[in-house]
Amino acid sequence: MTEIVAIPAFADNYIWLAVDRNRRLAAVVDPGDAEPVEAALRASGLRLSAILITHHHHDHTGGVEELLAAHPVPVYGPADESVPGVSQPLREPDAFEVPGLGLPLRVLDVPGHTAGHIALVADGALFSGDALFAGGCGRLFEGTPEQMYASLGKLAALPEDTRVYCGHEYTLANLRFAHQVEPDNPNLTQRLRRAEAARQRGEPTVPSRMADEHATNPFLRTHLPAVRTAAERWSGQTLDEPVAVFAALRRWKDQS
Ligand code: ZN
Ligand code: FE
């Protein structure tokens, strides 16, 4: 049984630890900083078995070399990005078992935020990095709207009960933007209230459930008339295709 634990880092990053308590082993996803990972391993008496990377940004990779120096473990990461320390380059449709944990993962290419961004999919769990966030999606630093739209489509096709383990606690800002897009979506209003309450208690809002993303994340809802109408009103243009709605939503969010 793999348990997944959040390690908060920096202002709003989450480093994820996939833990097998019986074997006292853990794999870490996107360690932007080594120190909080070492602290978490020490506190629970765990040994590191692998490092997993979704994309090259420093807030997801900055701790790799320091961790590697202390723990000589395999490092899985995107084949098409340059991440120091990666020993096991991955691309879709690769699949592998996380060493020690016996946790099967498969790889999806999800370009858009970065050009070689990958997502890691387990049974019932998705490590989405900065591609899909709770209530939103990553900025398009290296990719086109068309690429990101296709990437999000792959992730949205995962089962409704999939837990989404994303790279940042951006949920409140995302849901407030979503509420501007869809002020009349009752599921969204409810989710925003729940997220506000969780943050007031100092609790993470993630992982989310894919069902909640389908119901409230505007970037997965670009085919719906209400979302299209809002994006058309904001952009002052007719948006015939969901991908055009997506591109307008992304620009709207970037400017808000
Ligand atoms: Zn990033
Ligand atoms: Fe990030």
Side-chain angles (χ1 to χ4, degrees):
M1 251 304 275
T2 306
E3 183 186 331
I4 300 172
V5 178
I7 304 174
F10 309 121
D12 51 34
N13 277 78
Y14 288 120
I15 299 168
W16 295 105
L17 209 56
V19 178
D20 185 322
R21 300 266 174 215
N22 291 329
R23 297 181 211 176
R24 296 188 160 264
L25 287 172
V28 68
V29 182
D30 283 357
D33 192 2
E35 191 276 322
V37 178
E38 293 288 10
L41 294 173
R42 261 197 318 273
S44 302
L46 298 166
R47 228 161 18 92
L48 194 66
S49 73
I51 299 173
L52 311 171
I53 301 294
T54 64
H55 68 293
H56 69 84
H57 284 160
H58 196 258
D59 62 312
H60 299 252
T61 59
V64 170
E65 284 176 306
E66 192 179 330
L67 286 172
L68 259 187
H71 316 267
V73 298
V75 182
Y76 296 79
D80 296 326
E81 297 195 344
S82 147
V83 179
V86 167
S87 60
Q88 319 286 328
L90 298 174
R91 59 164 56 91
E92 188 174 331
D94 289 344
F96 63 104
E97 275 197 3
V98 181
L101 303 184
L103 173 69
L105 288 180
R106 61 194 179 89
V107 180
L108 294 176
D109 288 331
V110 289
H113 177 69
T114 63
H117 198 304
I118 58 170
L120 300 167
V121 182
D123 186 24
L126 163 67
F127 297 104
S128 62
D130 289 356
L132 176 65
F133 290 125
C137 73
R139 282 179 189 260
L140 305 182
F141 287 120
E142 297 174 10
T144 63
E146 288 73 19
Q147 285 178 318
M148 189 59 139
Y149 177 78
S151 296
L152 293 178
K154 288 184 199 176
L155 301 181
L158 294 170
E160 294 277 340
D161 61 357
T162 304
R163 295 290 193 268
V164 180
Y165 296 88
C166 58
H168 290 269
E169 179 63 61
Y170 287 162
T171 313
L172 273 190
N174 285 339
L175 294 178
R176 285 174 182 148
F177 171 74
H179 193 256
Q180 284 184 260
V181 178
E182 284 193 278
D184 300 323
N185 177 342
N187 292 317
L188 174 56
T189 309
Q190 258 188 21
R191 187 180 183 190
L192 178 54
R193 292 214 188 94
R194 280 202 315 269
E196 283 171 341
R199 294 309 290 153
Q200 265 163 22
R201 294 191 301 267
E203 293 169 8
T205 61
V206 289
S208 68
R209 280 185 331 136
M210 190 60 80
D212 292 327
E213 301 310 327
H214 289 153
T216 61
N217 186 329
F219 296 98
L220 303 187
R221 296 169 59 77
T222 52
H223 56 290
L224 296 172
V227 175
R228 172 181 169 171
T229 303
E232 286 184 333
R233 197 177 305 129
W234 178 82
S235 67
Q237 290 173 321
T238 303
L239 305 169
D240 289 324
E241 298 292 333
V243 66
V245 174
F246 173 79
L249 279 186
R250 192 55 262 180
R251 274 184 282 127
W252 182 2
K253 174 70 165 62
D254 290 344
Q255 291 169 31
S256 66

